Amino acid sequence: MTLIVGEEELLADRAISEIVAAVRTNDPEIEVVELSPATMEPGRLAELTSPSLFGGGKVLVVRSAQDLGKDLATELTAYAKSPADDIVLIVVHGGGVKGKALLDGLGKAGARKLSYPKITRPGDRIQFVRAEVRRAGGSITEGAARTLLDAVGTDLRELASACSQLVFDT
């Protein structure tokens, strides 16, 4: 069970992808179910986590958990206290005070917490650009990273794409 907290969607999406990839090394056919407050209704979680006649596990990704109603948050917290062995639960919460009871409940239930707060400081953005270039197999100086930031802007998805393209083109 993993709790992803923060406003940086790119980093949260990467964390989800990494978890799913790790699970798929053991079970390439595992079903991934994406849920949001709009698609969840009382009892849906119980339906998805109940044992199947055909066996097999699931990865449940609950996005925007801070927007879940009180009943659904309570249901999710209750499930987290005694999760099924073949279910991998990933809960994505935007952070902040909205839905804090859910954060606390999942934390007490033993969820592994990954935090991705909003990157706002220029130095942190430069570090992000440098890490993205390294991730793509290249290297970049601090000055070049600053120039790339000035040219592309502060959106992490655009920066990541630009870094990847830059390394690919060299």
Side-chain angles (χ1 to χ4, degrees):
M1 180 172 38
T2 304
L3 175 60
I4 299 173
V5 181
E7 297 175 64
E8 291 297 353
E9 285 185 33
L10 171 69
L11 302 178
D13 288 344
R14 282 186 181 169
I16 292 167
S17 295
E18 289 170 6
I19 294 167
V20 170
V23 171
R24 285 200 164 137
T25 59
N26 294 328
D27 184 359
E29 302 297 319
I30 196 156
E31 179 183 4
V32 178
V33 179
E34 296 260 346
L35 300 165
S36 69
T39 61
M40 285 185 71
E41 53 193 40
R44 176 91 168 118
L45 186 64
E47 174 189 324
L48 290 169
T49 58
S50 62
S52 169
L53 293 173
F54 305 106
K58 289 184 186 111
V59 176
L60 299 180
V61 180
V62 180
R63 294 189 181 266
S64 301
Q66 71 276 2
D67 296 330
L68 290 174
K70 186 176 179 182
D71 292 343
L72 292 173
T74 301
E75 187 177 338
L76 188 58
T77 303
Y79 171 77
K81 290 177 182 173
S82 59
D85 292 335
D86 59 346
I87 303 292
V88 175
L89 179 63
I90 304 169
V91 179
V92 183
H93 189 288
V97 296
K98 187 175 181 183
K100 180 123 174 57
L102 177 62
L103 282 177
D104 295 341
L106 294 176
K108 287 178 185 173
R112 176 178 65 133
K113 183 178 179 182
L114 304 175
S115 295
Y116 299 109
K118 188 89 173 144
I119 297 176
T120 56
R121 295 185 2 217
D124 292 341
R125 287 191 190 111
I126 289 171
Q127 287 179 357
F128 174 79
V129 168
R130 295 189 81 186
E132 281 301 299
V133 170
R134 277 193 304 277
R135 179 182 176 148
S139 63
I140 189 170
T141 66
E142 185 173 328
R146 187 172 284 112
T147 301
L148 184 64
L149 265 167
D150 291 342
V152 175
T154 59
D155 181 80
L156 290 193
R157 287 190 192 279
E158 290 178 16
L159 283 169
S161 178
C163 291
S164 178
Q165 187 65 43
L166 188 63
V167 171
F168 179 77
D169 288 347
T170 54

